[in-house]
Amino acid sequence: MGEWAGSAPVLEEEVALANIALDLLGQARVLLSLVGDEDELAYLREERSFRNAQLVEQPNGDFAHTIARQLYFSTYQRLLYGQLASGDGPFAGLAAKAVKEVAYHQDHAEHWTLRLGDGTDESHHRMQRACDALWRYTGELFQPVEGIDVDRAAMESAWLASVTDVLGRATLTVPEGPRTGAWAAGAGRQGLHTEPFGRMLAEMQHLHRSHPGATW
Amino acid sequence: MTAVTAGTAETTGAPGGSDAAVAAEQAAYEAVFDAAVAADERIEPRDWMPEAYRASLVRQIAQHAHSEIIGMQPEANWITRAPSLRRKAILMAKVQDEAGHGLYLYSAAETLGTSRDELLDKLHSGRQKYSSIFNYPTLTWADVGAIGWLVDGAAITNQVPLCRCSYGPYARAMVRVCKEESFHQRQGYEALLALSRGTEAQHAMAQDAVDRWWWPSLMMFGPPDDESTHTAQAMAWKIKRHSNDELRQRFVDIAVPQAEALGLTLPDPDLRWNEERGHYDFGAIDWTEFWDVLKGNGPCNEQRISRRRQAHEDGAWVREAAAAHAEKHRAEKHQADKPRTDKHQAEQHQHTAQHGEAQA
């Protein structure tokens, strides 16, 4: 998301996209700090040790791709944090704060899905193409993750209902393809990623790795 | 607020008045305007103002807004590569603030009767400028710190007096901008301090960045007083409160002890305290370089403006989609609102469109 800075379609989106990126980075820092040193975990692990879902490592693409990715992911995050916040597990406090942020992200993604889907012919076409392209990465979001106790089946049906509703209102068709595949099914969670991810890490980690032991 | 408002002015004109009467009326407005400026009152959007004052403000505020927007690029260049998550968060927040400053400033310019689209068009076609400092490249991480300390520091020195500028909307925008800029400047200084006190390689990186950014920062105050075309009039109108050279001197006086505290040197062999003047003397600025960068021949002029144009062009289909969606939505609302009065509907529609824009 940080890659959008300086390239957004309108100034208001410069603010909005940076704001979302900043919220997500804040959430990442809290989560990483629960496990260890945030910088060590972010900068010194290699590709095979990262456990992120493949959806979030997909390139920004055009604005429609970014919005489709955000729609799928923020809808999932809102359900996940909603469940975690209402429980008494180790993530309840973090989730209670994060759920407010991701509600904003979901609202933002929904509004843009409506504008692009139900805008011009070109924007409709682009939005549909983006929704189709990212569909196959959405099944992974509902694979079990060790240590996170939530009702994934309930989340998945709520997610499908919500996304189906938004796409329908945006005059878009719910993609027909599979939501998981032999490779994508939970693969990111096992450290199996897509090709763009290694290059993203190379850029992100280069400076930190060039100065071992330095503080910034 | 005693300045004559435009509305009042229209009604006082004698119907079918002679040229002499028109001239007398004009002189009366000018007298009220001059008195308001002399009394340090704020000029507001609906007040009468000389056309040249209006044009001068549009030029200055637009250039300021453009600088915020173009200024996002050299720093955004390091977002994906920031060396720690904390620094990355600080940098992202800063770039976000700059977009926000651009928004306030375009709004302030719009109170003078122009529009953001028109101003962006002038930026993209090269008819309006942005601060020449952003035509320099960010080559290392330390450049992000040097920009925070020196470039934001120079900007604050320039902008604090603008909080007392005679034009109300600009002065109020500056109050908000300066608060956030001071915060960024402290963070930049702190980032440089961490480098300066870090490993040998980090210290060298910080020194190199300061060596490259020092002179361009001094150029941010504009040409020397005897070559500054706008200064005298801008000071008479109380848009500017101090001359370029005065502000530059003030900045040097503040920066030198800060550099010492950082443990970094400034790349000027002629820099020394002058007991008699109570100021630091400093070496000659390379004005050839300044004018060259201003004319478009700096290291990044082409890259910066191309990137801005590209973002605008790439985003055209998104803006068109938002407008088309708002239009459809408006048509639906029109059906639902039929029993209401036309005026009410017009307001509703405008509100819907603006709401869509604001969220866009």
Side-chain angles (χ1 to χ4, degrees), chain A residues 23-62:
Chain A
D23 286 344
L24 293 172
L25 178 58
Q27 291 166 17
R29 294 181 66 193
V30 174
L31 284 166
L32 291 172
S33 299
L34 286 174
V35 195
D37 178 82
E38 60 177 36
D39 286 336
E40 206 177 302
L41 289 164
Y43 289 95
L44 299 176
R45 276 184 298 164
E46 293 189 8
E47 194 181 336
R48 290 285 280 110
S49 306
F50 272 80
R51 295 286 179 266
N52 59 280
Q54 290 181 352
L55 176 65
V56 301
E57 72 201 30
Q58 296 313 304
N60 281 341
D62 66 5

Side-chain angles (χ1 to χ4, degrees), chain A residues 2-15 18-19 21-22 25 29 32 38-39 42-43 62-64 107-108 111-112 114-116 118-120 122-123 126 203-204 207-208 211 214-216, chain B residues 69 72 76 78-89 92-93 95-96 99-100 103 106 116 141 194-195 199 201-202 205 307-308 311 315 317-322 324-325 328 356-360:
Chain A
E3 288 174 8
W4 271 107
S7 295
V10 282
L11 276 179
E12 286 81 355
E13 281 306 294
E14 294 286 1
V15 178
N19 195 4
L22 205 48
L25 178 58
R29 294 181 66 193
L32 291 172
E38 60 177 36
D39 286 336
Y43 289 95
D62 66 5
F63 189 68
D107 188 58
H108 173 264
H111 274 96
W112 272 113
L114 294 176
R115 286 192 198 102
L116 298 182
D118 188 20
T120 62
E122 183 186 5
S123 70
R126 284 183 187 248
E203 180 168 339
M204 183 176 115
L207 177 59
H208 185 96
H211 297 264
T215 48
W216 302 91
Chain B
I69 301 311
M72 294 168 70
W78 281 92
I79 287 178
T80 55
R81 294 178 288 167
S84 73
L85 296 186
R86 176 169 164 263
R87 294 289 176 203
K88 192 192 290 282
M92 284 203 307
V95 173
Q96 183 191 7
L103 280 171
Y106 285 120
R116 194 207 302 183
W141 167 251
L195 293 177
T199 65
Q202 284 177 305
M205 193 194 283
R307 166 95 184 269
R308 180 87 267 291
W317 70 272
V318 177
R319 295 189 299 276
E320 283 157 17
H325 182 77
K328 286 179 197 178
E357 276 278 294
Q359 288 195 333

Side-chain angles (χ1 to χ4, degrees), chain A residues 122-141:
Chain A
E122 183 186 5
S123 70
H124 177 88
H125 176 68
R126 284 183 187 248
M127 194 64 212
Q128 185 67 57
R129 195 170 53 191
C131 289
D132 292 349
L134 295 170
W135 190 245
R136 67 204 206 88
Y137 299 105
T138 58
E140 185 185 356
L141 300 173

